[in-house]
Amino acid sequence: MEDARQAVDVLSATTGNVLLTTGSKDLDIFARLPDFQKRLYPRVLPALESLERCLTLGYPQKHIIAMQGPFSREMNLATLREIGADIEEGADIVMVKPALAYLDVLREAALTFDMPLAVYNVSGEYAMVKAAAANGWIDERRVVMENLTAMKRAGARVIITYHALDAVRWIEYIY
């Protein structure tokens, strides 16, 4: 998937609760799901702006998870408990964001739960690769494919990335 809109399309075809670890930036897009107030549990930074955004968009207060790092092994375990609770409540898919920074959480979740896991390779991760490639510091194709492979190996069944069109072109070229 290329962005949050495509993630909403996928989620539209599913039922059950979803833990959104995408932050507050794309909450308006996810709020387009007809039953988002029942199904979505956004995890956002515990900042007044983030919480107000959630409430303004109609996310129920009891569904909002406000937490901030620095993250540790204990925090990862707490996150896994939250994921487990969401699954028990009927989640069909769990989304992790940012993808590269949370590969450890993704891997632990993949080993712990028999559940479709999605990652969102955020715009900042995309921009870092693009800038490094533009400066000639890296081979963009190689780094993008290594990053996507790492996400898949860590347990992602769905990868949302701004690199999607390039990755498809590169894969088609190889095969």
Side-chain angles (χ1 to χ4, degrees):
M1 282 183 257
E2 202 170 321
D3 57 25
R5 285 177 180 78
Q6 288 183 350
V8 167
D9 291 342
V10 170
L11 292 174
S12 295
T14 67
T15 59
N17 298 330
V18 177
L19 173 63
L20 289 177
T21 58
T22 60
S24 60
K25 180 181 166 192
D26 293 323
L27 289 177
D28 57 324
I29 297 169
F30 287 101
R32 294 178 187 165
L33 283 169
D35 55 353
F36 81 96
Q37 293 173 319
K38 295 178 187 174
R39 298 179 54 200
L40 302 184
Y41 291 76
R43 189 183 79 198
V44 297
L45 291 174
L48 184 58
E49 180 182 324
S50 297
L51 297 172
E52 286 177 343
R53 182 163 168 73
C54 288
L55 295 172
T56 300
L57 289 169
Y59 288 89
Q61 183 176 355
K62 67 180 183 174
H63 285 206
I64 300 168
I65 302 165
M67 54 192 281
Q68 179 175 351
F71 295 102
S72 62
R73 177 75 179 137
E74 292 78 24
M75 183 62 79
N76 286 355
L77 292 173
T79 301
L80 290 174
R81 286 191 294 275
E82 288 289 329
I83 291 171
D86 290 332
I87 292 169
E88 285 181 22
E89 292 180 10
D92 290 319
I93 193 166
V94 175
M95 186 176 301
V96 177
K97 169 198 161 190
L100 295 174
Y102 290 99
L103 289 176
D104 57 336
V105 173
L106 175 65
R107 185 66 188 153
E108 290 294 325
L111 293 172
T112 305
F113 305 107
D114 183 24
M115 169 62 80
L117 300 171
V119 291
Y120 188 0
N121 185 212
V122 298
S123 60
E125 295 168 333
Y126 171 83
M128 286 188 295
V129 171
K130 286 294 196 180
N135 283 304
W137 299 335
I138 62 168
D139 177 336
E140 181 181 358
R141 182 184 58 81
R142 184 172 162 212
V143 170
V144 167
M145 297 311 291
E146 286 175 0
N147 286 345
L148 297 177
T149 299
M151 294 171 208
K152 178 68 175 161
R153 289 180 62 198
R157 292 192 200 170
V158 176
I159 299 172
I160 302 165
T161 179
Y162 296 95
H163 295 291
L165 295 177
D166 287 332
V168 168
R169 191 177 70 247
W170 295 326
I171 291 167
E172 287 175 344
Y173 177 77
I174 293 169
Y175 297 104

